Amino acid sequence: MSEPVPVAVPRKGRPLEAVLERIAAVGPDDRLDGLADRVSNTLRYEKAVTKGRVDAEDGPYERLIEYSDPDNPRQPEFTLLRDDRDGKPRRIVFDAATVDLGEVTLKLVGREEPFRALRTHEFAVGFDSADLVLEEVVGIRPGGLGQIADINERIDPVDTDVRVVNGLGDTVYHTLMGRPEGIEPGTDFDRDFVAKYEGSLCISPRYERLVTAVLGTDALEGVEFVYPNANEEEEAAIARTGLGVYLTVTGSTAREHGLDVGEHLFPSETVLMRNAAEHDPAVGRALDAIAVEKSSSEIRV
């Protein structure tokens, strides 16, 4: 039997759940559904413990032993990391799992930054947030970027060998929103509005490069990025500023701040990636097995 193909995956959160759902969807039987449920339920519980919403009876090491089954390599493995919150609490996160997809076996390996692990050729295949690709390697151009399918055309091949294969559909959008006071009735908060706008645009500091890539430098002429104050909710800061970009699910809290929800600018989606410089046939079989569902449009790799 050939060695499993290593695949870098996130250690926790929505992106990991999206990966496990994809793996379960392409698996030959329902055992992978059980794996996905077990990992997701364990990590949701651990997140609640870390955030103080649940009091665990046992300590993290005891829980780690409870979750582990060293005699069964097909069961998921977990590990402890220091969380970045006050006090640096220990948090249990996903470490690894071996999954048999019939034509190929995968070794899912948890990484804090899967995209960067592909960039350094530690892995040939992996999953990570499309946001990180935009933040690190997508070129800044006069025109904006609107969909996952356009990412590869913006990657300089000299900069990295990593390419996006497709998205997993776990879409949350970077959305334009604004306060309607003083704006002509019927005006839409969209890319055209930004292109004519001069003034402050409130964003999270970490998304400055992403928002620049998504909107394009032409649209941002005359626009100044501003940021929320310490401990200020982002939607409250956008309401104070008048216009901003926020990663939103429903927009309901935006409306509570008196904001109109405008255009969905770019999908914050988990993406399947490959390092195009790696040509192992097993990698090709792995991609054939897991790249069965497409995002909103076809991607040129």
Side-chain angles (χ1 to χ4, degrees):
M1 183 177 177
S2 60
E3 288 293 314
V5 177
V7 178
V9 303
R11 288 195 180 276
K12 59 185 183 296
R14 175 176 62 88
L16 176 59
E17 292 190 11
V19 172
L20 294 172
E21 289 170 4
R22 166 64 65 87
I23 296 298
V26 302
D29 52 51
D30 59 6
R31 284 179 296 178
L32 295 182
D33 288 313
L35 172 71
D37 289 343
R38 178 178 175 186
V39 173
S40 296
N41 290 338
T42 297
L43 295 183
R44 287 173 188 169
Y45 173 77
E46 288 299 324
K47 179 179 179 179
V49 170
T50 303
K51 288 182 170 290
R53 296 196 297 260
V54 173
D55 292 326
E57 294 183 3
D58 298 320
Y61 291 104
E62 289 79 9
R63 300 198 304 277
L64 195 60
I65 292 172
E66 179 184 344
Y67 300 149
S68 302
D69 186 356
D71 296 326
N72 188 344
R74 301 290 175 169
Q75 292 301 314
E77 303 169 31
F78 299 87
T79 191
L80 274 170
L81 292 181
R82 287 286 182 184
D83 198 270
D84 59 3
R85 281 175 247 277
D86 291 344
K88 306 296 182 185
R90 289 164 296 184
R91 181 168 179 173
I92 292 177
V93 296
F94 177 76
D95 188 57
T98 301
V99 295
D100 185 357
L101 299 182
E103 294 295 322
V104 65
T105 300
L106 308 180
K107 177 78 170 184
L108 307 181
V109 182
R111 284 290 181 266
E112 282 300 288
E113 298 171 329
F115 171 61
R116 291 171 183 164
L118 265 72
R119 291 193 73 186
T120 58
H121 297 259
E122 185 181 351
F123 292 82
V125 182
F127 297 87
D128 210 337
S129 170
D131 289 357
L132 190 59
V133 183
L134 266 65
E135 290 168 22
E136 294 213 353
V137 299
V138 164
I140 304 298
R141 297 183 183 175
L145 179 71
Q147 54 187 351
I148 298 292
D150 297 332
I151 290 178
N152 288 337
E153 295 180 2
R154 295 286 187 97
I155 296 177
D156 184 345
V158 175
D159 192 28
T160 181
D161 293 314
V162 179
R163 299 293 181 271
V164 173
V165 178
N166 60 34
L168 302 194
D170 58 323
T171 310
V172 179
Y173 284 95
H174 294 280
T175 302
L176 192 66
M177 53 185 65
R179 195 178 61 240
E181 287 87 343
I183 303 298
E184 183 178 343
T187 298
D188 293 326
F189 291 111
D190 57 16
R191 292 174 185 267
D192 289 340
F193 179 86
V194 177
K196 301 171 186 175
Y197 173 79
E198 293 187 357
S200 298
L201 180 71
C202 185
I203 63 171
S204 170
R206 62 166 289 200
Y207 286 134
E208 183 168 323
R209 193 178 191 281
L210 182 152
V211 172
T212 302
V214 166
L215 288 172
T217 56
D218 282 354
L220 291 173
E221 288 186 11
V223 173
E224 177 191 7
F225 287 143
V226 297
Y227 313 104
N229 297 323
N231 301 318
E232 182 181 25
E233 291 184 3
E234 289 191 71
E235 287 157 305
I238 293 172
R240 173 173 55 79
T241 304
L243 187 70
V245 177
Y246 182 63
L247 191 63
T248 183
V249 179
T250 65
S252 59
T253 55
R255 287 184 277 272
E256 291 174 4
H257 288 280
L259 295 168
D260 283 352
V261 177
E263 182 179 350
H264 290 329
L265 299 173
F266 191 84
S268 177
E269 191 169 327
T270 305
V271 292
L272 169 63
M273 303 169 296
R274 67 171 300 178
N275 189 308
E278 304 291 338
H279 301 292
D280 188 328
V283 171
R285 291 195 296 273
L287 288 169
D288 288 342
I290 56 183
V292 294
E293 298 177 13
K294 301 296 188 245
S295 188
S296 56
S297 54
E298 206 65 33
I299 295 177
R300 291 181 286 276
V301 180

